[in-house]
């Protein structure tokens, strides 16, 4: 086998064995329930800023939906389908996949706790 062919084969083999696909546990019941009170700042705000505001902020947010502040996030959660889309496996938000269970649990607990801000 030529050296170039061997190096090419070895490179492909290393690349193929190092590729992984993140697997997100779709069942939030597999993690302990959140017992502390959840507030927008810093709990929910972190979820929004890490997953949503890239598209849902600024002068022309996607779908006209801003999620970069307390008022808009609360309104969209209470009156829209934010939680439903975060849990939707066929049409999730963010579009790259369902959020990890802990982040979804934070959102659910925020609703249960009454949408506390600070």
């Amino acid at each position: 086998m030529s050296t170039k062919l061997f190096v090419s084969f070895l490179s492909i083999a290393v690349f193929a064995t190092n590729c992984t696909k993140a697997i997100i546990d779709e069942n939030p019941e597999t993690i302990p329930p959140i017992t502390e009170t959840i507030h927008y700042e810093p709990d929910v705000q972190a979820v929004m800023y890490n997953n949503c505001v890239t598209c849902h902020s600024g002068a022309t947010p996607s779908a006209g939906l801003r999620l970069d502040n307390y008022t808009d996030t609360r309104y969209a959660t209470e009156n829209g389908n934010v939680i439903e889309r975060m849990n939707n496996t066929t049409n999730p938000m963010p579009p790259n996949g369902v959020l990890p269970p802990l982040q979804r649990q934070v959102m659910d607990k925020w609703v249960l706790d009454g949408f506390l801000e600070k």
Side-chain angles (χ1 to χ4, degrees), residues 68-101:
D68 60 351
N69 62 70
Y70 169 77
T71 302
D72 291 333
T73 302
R74 179 179 176 163
Y75 182 83
T77 304
E78 278 187 294
N79 301 297
N81 64 351
V82 171
I83 301 291
E84 179 184 320
R85 289 294 302 278
M86 287 181 169
N87 289 297
N88 189 323
T89 57
T90 58
N91 190 21
M93 275 296 153
N96 62 341
V98 175
L99 293 176

